Amino acid sequence: MANLDGDNKPEWIKRVKSEGAIPLLDPDDCSNGWASPPGNSFMVRGPEYFSTKVKVPGGEFLLKPLGFDWIKGPKKISDILNNPKHRIRIALQDETPTGCKPFIWAFNLQVPSKENFSAVAYFVGLKPVPEGSLMEQFLKGDDAFRTKRLKLIANIVKGPWIVRKAVGEQAICVIGRALTCKYCIADDFIEVDVDIGSSVIANAIVHLAYNYLSTLAVDLAFLIESQTQSELPERILGAVRFSELQTTSATLVEMPSNENMGELLPSFPSRLWKSFGHSFSHLVQADTQDGSSSSIPSLVKGDVDNGLSEEGTKKWRDLHNLLSKVMSVES
């Protein structure tokens, strides 16, 4: 494993980052691993965004990267940090730092699949949350506030053309508007369980990407959206890169029987989302048979090129209209 930790990080953080089943690797070479991508690879709302619509590089993260898990379970995995046997919970219990107690942020992306995969990114704050900041409002506010504010930026760093075109150059989504989220907050952590299966469009795109999982490198940044001038510029909480994951690398998670994790049905019937995803993929392939690959529009940006057939253009517009209801498209 590459030595990616500076000497200024507590030993327990270095230990947690290195002990996951998916290894921490260099961002430029992290096959079947994870890394912390550069903040400037993401564009966020700048200090004058509401008057100029100008975005700026994301810069330094507010939180430190702590870990990444690629896991699966007998049911949809949620309430991960409520399990006292979880490796990060154990680290928190064993760690007795002087001064401010560390606070964990966990983002659990529940992938719609028969195997109930989850990709979980962990970040840690070592300093007190600034009073009156968006972070404090997010932690102390209600779910309605969180739903309107939690934003995801996704970049496809490496992958097949079909996935790049489906996702776009930089996909931006206010997660709560697009997907069902569950928030679990305790004294020393917050966990956001994001049900990707709760959206037809997200199902289709993720199913398409899942078929190319072992060839994909994806950067994901999490932030709280700035909606007033005084909240600008936006700051990224944390970001993670995972690259060329193998389904066989996912760790099986045993869920506590006493947790409220009864038999959870998929949010969207698996046969239907697979059919939708297949149709989505078929549409892309059908409209590129003339060899004009540059004519395929980005679903996120909603571009429609005259190179498509009339029927293909209508289908792309229908897909874009659906997508525009759940994606936050910013110029």
Side-chain angles (χ1 to χ4, degrees):
M1 184 190 75
N3 182 15
L4 304 177
D5 294 300
D7 294 332
N8 59 339
K9 291 185 176 65
E11 287 299 322
W12 73 272
I13 291 183
K14 297 180 184 180
R15 185 177 68 253
V16 170
K17 291 172 72 173
S18 66
E19 67 186 7
I22 301 298
L24 170 65
L25 301 172
D26 186 277
D28 295 326
D29 184 18
C30 59
S31 177
N32 200 27
W34 73 279
S36 183
N40 286 340
S41 63
F42 304 95
M43 300 299 289
V44 300
R45 295 179 174 185
E48 304 297 330
Y49 176 80
F50 294 116
S51 58
T52 65
K53 299 302 180 183
V54 172
K55 292 190 173 184
V56 298
E60 185 178 357
F61 303 137
L62 293 171
L63 305 171
K64 296 183 180 299
L66 184 60
F68 176 81
D69 280 337
W70 175 233
I71 53 180
K72 62 182 178 181
K75 304 179 181 70
K76 186 187 301 181
I77 300 171
S78 61
D79 296 319
I80 296 171
L81 292 183
N82 267 335
N83 182 355
K85 296 182 179 180
H86 189 280
R87 64 187 182 91
I88 290 180
R89 280 292 302 276
I90 293 174
L92 280 176
Q93 293 164 6
D94 293 345
E95 176 61 26
T96 56
T98 58
C100 181
K101 187 177 180 64
F103 191 89
I104 308 299
W105 296 65
F107 299 96
N108 171 24
L109 305 180
Q110 300 166 328
V111 181
S113 63
K114 184 168 59 177
E115 295 84 359
N116 298 299
F117 289 109
S118 270
V120 193
Y122 306 95
F123 307 94
V124 61
L126 299 176
K127 298 179 180 179
V129 175
E131 185 175 350
S133 66
L134 276 179
M135 291 175 70
E136 183 185 57
Q137 295 177 54
F138 190 87
L139 293 172
K140 293 185 177 181
D142 56 18
D143 284 356
F145 179 88
R146 300 183 188 103
T147 294
K148 295 176 182 177
R149 294 295 190 117
L150 183 60
K151 181 187 287 186
L152 170 71
I153 302 176
N155 293 337
I156 304 298
V157 179
K158 182 176 70 173
W161 168 86
I162 187 175
V163 177
R164 288 175 176 271
K165 282 298 181 180
V167 175
E169 182 179 348
Q170 180 168 265
I172 303 170
C173 175
V174 178
I175 300 177
R177 295 176 188 166
L179 305 167
T180 299
C181 296
K182 177 183 176 184
Y183 306 93
C184 179
I185 302 180
D187 291 338
D188 52 6
F189 72 82
I190 179 172
E191 176 182 333
V192 184
D193 297 326
V194 182
D195 183 5
I196 298 176
S198 60
S199 162
V200 177
I201 293 295
N203 260 318
I205 293 177
V206 169
H207 176 59
L208 175 68
Y210 181 81
N211 291 329
Y212 301 95
L213 183 65
S214 62
T215 66
L216 284 177
V218 181
D219 283 354
L220 300 177
F222 302 89
L223 60 157
I224 303 169
E225 185 174 73
S226 297
Q227 296 183 357
T228 65
Q229 181 64 38
S230 62
E231 296 170 349
L232 294 173
E234 287 183 329
R235 295 288 307 279
I236 296 174
L237 294 170
V240 66
R241 172 176 298 174
F242 56 85
S243 179
E244 300 171 292
L245 292 179
Q246 304 292 327
T247 56
T248 54
S249 299
T251 302
L252 180 62
V253 173
E254 297 295 334
M255 295 188 233
S257 58
N258 61 337
E259 295 291 334
N260 184 23
M261 295 181 182
E263 190 65 34
L264 296 175
L265 296 176
S267 301
F268 193 73
S270 59
R271 184 170 62 181
L272 185 54
W273 76 255
K274 286 181 179 179
S275 174
F276 190 93
H278 175 75
S279 298
F280 180 92
S281 178
H282 176 74
L283 173 61
V284 175
Q285 295 167 359
D287 277 315
T288 58
Q289 289 178 355
D290 62 356
S292 55
S293 60
S294 62
S295 67
I296 300 300
S298 162
L299 285 180
V300 174
K301 293 184 177 180
D303 302 326
V304 178
D305 191 284
N306 291 331
L308 293 177
S309 65
E310 182 177 351
E311 180 182 2
T313 298
K314 181 180 183 301
K315 289 180 179 180
W316 277 112
R317 281 181 173 155
D318 289 343
L319 281 172
H320 171 62
N321 288 338
L322 281 171
L323 188 61
S324 64
K325 295 178 181 179
V326 297
M327 299 295 289
S328 171
V329 181
E330 299 179 356
S331 58

